[in-house]
Amino acid sequence: MMREPGIPDHLTPLKTACPQRLDGRWRSDQHDDGYRGGGDARQEIATVFHEACGLDDLFKNPIAVVAELGFGAGLSMLETIDRFREVAPADARLCLVSCEKFPIDPQSAKEMLLLDGAAPDLVSALIDQWPLHVGGWHRLSFLGGRVHLTLGLGDASDLLQTLNFEADAWFLDGFSPAKNPELWTPEVLQLVAERSAAGARLGTWCSAGDVRRSLTALGWAVDRVPGHATKRHRVQARRSGATPKRPSPGTIHIAGAGFAGAGAARAFAERGWSVTVFDPNGPASGASGNPRSLVQPRLAKGLDAASHLHLHAALFAARQMDQLGVSSIPGALHLGVGHHGGKVEAALSHEGLPATLIRAVDEEEASKLAGCRVGPGAWFASARSVSGPEYVAALLDHGNIEVRSGEPTTPACEETPMLWCTGSSAVNRFGLAGLHQIRGQLEVLEPIPGLNHAVCFGHYLLPGEDSVVLGASYDHGDSDPAVRDDTAQASLELAKAALPGVAMRRTGGRTSFRLASRDRLPLLGPDPQGHAWFSLAHGSRGASTGPFLGAYLADCMEGVPGVLPSAYANRLRVERFES
């Protein structure tokens, strides 16, 4: 299988752990070892990790970064969030990073956490966002966005190589070196050291001589101290230098109030930034204003940047919609018809992926999902159909965001960065290369009885409360803003061929324009001169990539662990099409 360098493996199935409680301890069926060392689990975390890493002092900083090996059910991370909200200033933020090779199912994790005494509200927040068991980095949010958890599912040594960051504190919380040796190798500990800030501190229950010697050789000042409960010793360590003081939130101007601009505005606002969004036509006035938009993964045959991006963007958007209370219709049925059949076949070629992500459906089940007789296909349970204007409005509904409509964009001064999310107008203003405009026309139909989910067949049918959206055309080199009958007729013929015998009555239509790039990936980041930032060319997937990459941009500008692998900084760079 082709794998693009720097992209985590999101297609190899992950093995789910099945913990068991024996003699008062949770034990892993994968390593035959306990998830904690015995005694009070929360007190163990407070002593072995929080005290060793000096978290109470660390949390006085504007931004703290804490990383962990061995997520398990998430108890250490939730206890760290709980301590943070108790002692940190109200405007402080916390960025967490953790890795887990054998994720636990959410119901088992919930049982473990509640029995161990974790804060019930944090348990609910975690379980509500529990990621699908697919490889790569998943972004979870707590305390209204003050806390982010970047959770990597897969092999830690592979994952850490894809994400560059500097942690102020490390929790080494893997199973014992005898049962889980791959998490304690010199190579993994080297990755930990390379991702540690000056003055970083480290805590672990493990005092094995090989581990202490490896840490010492990597520049850590290592102390072996009395252990917790049944452990005779534990280790705490520190790197030389002073802990970096990361900057406090600032002010940012954003041009464009569609999915990209609103998503970025939300990401910065939740971090405490003051955000002004400019859009002369008002929020969701372009393609983001379509009455229904489809958020769904894209699974190609290889491990390429586009497939990984669209998968994790769709999962991020679904979690965000739930947190913001945006109503959506779950699931999308992809029919194996026409040229779309090849895409369905490619998506189903990856055996062992969670059924909550994708699974094959036969003709009978597909027909039940579609509400009419159709052929077999693929069911994407994680897909969402959403009202574009409602999603954009929810993204912009934050006290730190001001939206200015009907007035020109105010150029940013040197102290205030400007982020352009305006599509073609930004291209014209800055002369960006490698981009082109695509006309998209959708049709509005009367409700179709029995159609309760999105159905895709090259085009798509998206049911709403009082209508169905059929779309959308993909017209290159066409700048006509009018809704045309010939485009409508072509779309209707395609839909009727995929769903024969279904009555479709058109009541209207809408035309908008999407910006796309030569390699079909967005443009993201600063221009070479550093005069402006961009989030452009999201094509037909802006409802997922817009908010997701908005979070990534905020990560980049703040210098905190990214929601995307570090390779994307180069892969999406604005000037990549310059000759």
Side-chain angles (χ1 to χ4, degrees):
M1 182 188 299
M2 180 198 75
R3 181 171 180 180
E4 195 167 329
I7 305 301
D9 183 354
H10 59 274
L11 295 178
T12 299
L14 298 175
K15 186 177 290 186
T16 299
C18 298
Q20 295 182 334
R21 192 167 177 85
L22 299 172
D23 300 324
R25 292 178 66 198
W26 292 104
R27 298 186 67 85
S28 166
D29 64 326
Q30 299 298 318
H31 297 97
D32 189 29
D33 198 6
Y35 280 92
R36 302 251 72 87
D40 186 322
R42 297 175 63 219
Q43 184 57 51
E44 179 184 4
I45 291 167
T47 301
V48 175
F49 301 131
H50 295 179
E51 179 184 316
C53 293
L55 290 195
D56 284 9
D57 287 334
L58 178 63
F59 289 161
K60 296 175 183 177
N61 295 329
I63 302 176
V65 179
V66 176
E68 171 191 56
L69 295 183
F71 181 74
L75 183 61
S76 295
M77 292 288 91
L78 292 194
E79 288 297 298
T80 302
I81 297 171
D82 202 24
R83 187 62 182 170
F84 171 80
R85 68 178 174 182
E86 182 178 344
V87 304
D91 58 350
R93 290 189 41 247
L94 175 60
C95 300
L96 301 170
V97 180
S98 189
C99 298
E100 180 56 57
K101 186 175 182 179
F102 299 100
I104 301 169
D105 74 89
Q107 289 308 310
S108 295
K110 181 177 181 180
E111 180 183 2
M112 293 172 69
L113 291 166
L114 291 176
L115 279 174
D116 283 335
D121 64 321
L122 294 180
V123 174
S124 295
L126 173 61
I127 300 306
D128 287 346
Q129 301 176 79
W130 198 264
L132 296 185
H133 291 180
V134 293
W137 296 101
H138 302 256
R139 171 60 58 82
L140 283 64
S141 178
F142 301 85
L143 307 187
R146 287 183 64 204
V147 178
H148 291 146
L149 167 60
T150 305
L151 175 58
L153 299 185
D155 185 89
S157 62
D158 290 339
L159 286 167
L160 288 177
Q161 292 181 63
T162 70
L163 196 67
N164 297 325
F165 60 94
E166 290 188 343
D168 304 313
W170 274 96
F171 304 166
L172 302 190
D173 198 18
F175 295 105
S176 73
K179 300 293 182 69
N180 188 198
E182 61 268 24
L183 209 57
W184 301 93
T185 65
E187 292 77 17
V188 169
L189 296 178
Q190 173 77 38
L191 291 169
V192 168
E194 292 171 351
R195 284 150 185 80
S196 300
R201 297 172 68 169
L202 177 152
T204 178
W205 58 268
C206 177
S207 62
D210 287 346
V211 173
R212 287 186 282 117
R213 286 187 287 273
S214 291
L215 291 173
T216 300
L218 291 166
W220 296 88
V222 177
D223 292 320
R224 188 173 70 162
V225 297
H228 173 78
T230 60
K231 297 288 184 181
R232 292 180 58 192
H233 301 101
R234 59 184 174 88
V235 161
Q236 53 191 36
R238 186 162 192 163
R239 297 186 71 78
S240 61
T243 300
K245 302 297 183 183
R246 296 181 176 85
S248 298
T251 299
I252 188 168
H253 290 175
I254 298 176
F259 290 129
R266 185 76 192 196
F268 282 101
E270 288 185 342
R271 299 160 193 246
W273 288 59
S274 177
V275 184
T276 303
V277 180
F278 298 88
D279 196 308
N281 299 311
S285 56
S288 303
N290 287 342
R292 305 298 299 181
S293 294
L294 184 59
V295 172
Q296 62 179 345
R298 170 183 174 267
L299 295 178
K301 288 189 175 181
L303 291 163
D304 62 286
S307 179
H308 188 88
L309 168 64
H310 292 307
L311 168 61
H312 282 275
L315 298 178
F316 174 92
R319 288 191 293 268
Q320 185 178 63
M321 287 179 213
D322 289 342
Q323 286 198 315
L324 296 178
V326 178
S327 61
S328 63
I329 298 175
L333 172 65
H334 284 253
L335 300 176
V337 296
H339 74 276
H340 196 63
K343 296 180 179 180
V344 172
E345 182 180 354
L348 291 173
S349 66
H350 309 294
E351 297 182 358
L353 291 177
T356 47
L357 176 66
I358 182 177
R359 61 183 176 86
V361 290
D362 60 18
E363 182 176 326
E364 181 179 359
E365 186 174 5
S367 298
K368 289 180 180 178
L369 291 167
C372 62
R373 178 58 57 185
V374 294
W379 174 245
F380 283 80
S382 60
R384 302 288 187 92
S385 168
V386 63
S387 162
E390 288 183 15
Y391 190 13
V392 168
L395 290 167
L396 294 172
D397 185 14
H398 192 284
N400 290 336
I401 299 174
E402 178 187 3
V403 179
R404 296 186 184 178
S405 304
E407 61 181 272
T409 300
T410 301
C413 59
E414 187 174 332
E415 295 78 21
T416 303
M418 171 63 80
L419 171 60
W420 292 87
C421 307
T422 52
S424 298
S425 63
V427 176
N428 297 334
R429 181 176 183 134
F430 294 96
L432 300 174
L435 304 177
H436 57 278
Q437 185 173 268
I438 299 168
R439 177 182 180 271
Q441 178 176 316
L442 58 80
E443 318 307 325
V444 179
L445 312 180
E446 291 182 358
I448 299 175
L451 182 68
N452 299 316
H453 304 282
V455 178
C456 306
F457 41 87
H459 278 33
Y460 52 69
L461 287 166
L462 305 180
E465 291 185 6
D466 54 8
S467 65
V468 172
V469 169
L470 166 62
S473 66
Y474 208 77
D475 308 324
H476 293 267
D478 189 337
S479 58
D480 183 5
V483 175
R484 298 200 305 251
D485 290 340
D486 61 337
T487 304
Q489 187 60 35
S491 295
L492 285 166
E493 288 176 359
L494 186 61
K496 290 177 179 179
L499 287 78
V502 174
M504 300 181 191
R505 298 179 178 85
R506 178 173 177 266
T507 61
R510 187 176 191 269
T511 297
S512 57
F513 295 91
R514 296 160 287 184
L515 193 66
S517 74
R518 191 183 303 159
D519 61 8
R520 303 184 72 177
L521 285 171
L523 266 65
L524 194 79
D527 66 6
Q529 293 75 37
H531 296 156
W533 290 71
F534 299 90
S535 179
L536 303 171
H538 295 269
S540 59
R541 294 181 178 267
S544 55
T545 59
F548 184 62
L549 293 179
Y552 181 57
L553 267 179
D555 295 336
C556 293
M557 293 181 71
E558 290 192 324
V560 299
V563 69
L564 265 178
S566 301
Y568 281 91
N570 179 64
R571 194 68 175 82
L572 304 179
R573 72 187 189 282
V574 173
E575 71 274 17
R576 66 183 185 269
F577 300 116
E578 301 289 346
S579 57

